Amino acid sequence: MQYQVFSREEQVGQAAATLFAAQLLRKPTTVFGFATGSTPIPMYRQLVRWYEEGVLDFSYAHSFNLDEYCGLPADHPQSYHYFMRENLFGGINMPAAHIHVPNGNPKQQDDAGWAAEGEAYDMAIAEAGGIDIQLLSIGANGHIGFNEPDEVFIRDTHRIKLTQATIDSNVRFFDSEDEMPKTALTMGIGSIMRAREIVMVITGPNKADIVHQMMHSEINPKIPATILHAHPNVRVLLDEAAASKL
Ligand code: F6R
């Protein structure tokens, strides 16, 4: 796992955008893996700017997002479908048919329905040729995607119960805790680890402890991000605040 520290958060976004842009310029049919949350926003802004300036063309690229809350319609302002439209897809020319975000609101919302959604999502990734470059950040509890701390790693895309730590950290986006979904559909650890390259962006002082734990712990499902030690091509881009305990 290689890491690089930048003095400011915006530089992390610029550096990540540069890696994603270079990948697209090298391979116009790139399959991207994208993440939501506050950390990737500066990177998405830069990609939109480069598209507007005519530097990038996403018309042959495809994308798969990591996760989506269960039970929220795609047009709900806190859904990750909505987030991606607002922050990236609405500003670039990737065709709608090439954009994939897990369906958190399928018709059949029972165990079999969620399992079928997960299976179809992993199948769609495989049919697209697999993810070339996956963007990740990290939750303060060590989650990647919504793979929460657990006794085991779960390989495939699946429905997960969010931990109280995740609910506490994301409730700020909802009017109340009651309104926030308590489950999500997330790419599994295997789905993430199959990406050919992983770029992780981490900023802010509230991530300093988990960054230290991720870097210095053995692979362990109680800190899901430690699995990245087993990936041959991971680059972690940090600001000084997130790197302050290294
Ligand atoms: C989002 C996701 C999560 C976030 C993580 C950090 O798609 O998969 O793992 O990356 O919760 O979120 P922020 O960037 O808001 O701190």
Side-chain angles (χ1 to χ4, degrees):
M1 201 187 279
Q2 293 184 38
Y3 74 94
Q4 271 163 284
V5 181
F6 299 85
S7 47
R8 285 180 296 107
E9 179 189 354
E10 302 79 69
Q11 295 161 338
V12 172
Q14 293 269 323
T18 305
L19 294 170
F20 277 70
Q23 167 67 35
L24 182 62
L25 291 168
R26 263 198 313 269
K27 183 181 174 192
T29 57
T30 287
V31 179
F32 291 110
F34 285 134
T36 56
S38 41
T39 319
I41 291 175
M43 162 179 148
Y44 291 150
R45 279 202 196 111
Q46 182 60 64
L47 291 179
V48 170
R49 269 197 297 272
W50 279 331
Y51 165 70
E52 286 169 351
E53 291 164 3
V55 179
L56 296 178
D57 174 9
F58 291 85
S59 48
Y60 300 105
H62 291 249
S63 73
F64 289 87
N65 260 79
L66 282 168
D67 42 21
E68 177 58 289
Y69 289 116
C70 292
L72 289 190
D75 59 357
H76 188 288
Q78 297 313 330
S79 77
Y80 288 165
H81 281 77
Y82 189 95
F83 174 98
M84 290 305 296
R85 250 191 331 271
E86 286 291 295
N87 289 290
L88 183 65
F89 299 137
I92 62 174
N93 66 335
M94 192 182 290
H98 294 192
I99 294 171
H100 302 84
V101 179
N103 179 8
N105 209 19
K107 280 206 188 87
Q108 195 185 335
Q109 298 200 9
D110 58 12
D111 287 351
W114 294 115
E117 276 308 314
E119 217 172 287
Y121 201 69
D122 284 326
M123 188 84 79
I125 296 174
E127 279 168 5
I131 292 172
D132 289 301
I133 185 165
Q134 173 68 55
L135 180 68
L136 293 179
S137 187
I138 190 171
N141 66 355
H143 72 210
I144 49 175
F146 270 139
N147 291 276
E148 299 281 41
D150 202 344
E151 299 300 319
V152 290
F153 290 113
I154 301 178
R155 189 184 59 188
D156 299 324
T157 297
H158 60 287
R159 183 182 188 225
I160 193 150
K161 195 169 171 302
L162 299 174
T163 58
Q164 193 57 43
T166 297
I167 294 169
D168 291 345
S169 104
N170 288 8
V171 70
R172 63 200 152 110
F173 299 113
F174 294 85
D175 290 337
S176 68
E177 193 171 315
D178 285 348
E179 278 195 16
M180 183 178 164
K182 307 295 182 302
T183 58
L185 197 59
T186 181
M187 270 166 60
I189 291 294
S191 329
I192 294 171
M193 291 292 281
R194 279 191 289 272
R196 291 183 263 281
E197 180 179 355
I198 294 178
V199 175
M200 192 175 209
V201 287
I202 315 178
T203 57
N206 62 326
K207 299 287 173 68
D209 282 327
I210 194 65
V211 165
H212 180 268
Q213 287 177 48
M214 170 181 76
M215 295 289 192
H216 294 287
S217 306
E218 301 278 303
I219 294 176
N220 158 21
K222 296 214 162 95
I223 310 174
T226 54
I227 193 70
L228 298 174
H229 289 297
H231 193 285
N233 192 6
V234 181
R235 192 179 297 271
V236 186
L237 309 177
L238 304 148
D239 68 356
E240 276 177 5
S244 60
K245 300 207 168 150
L246 288 179

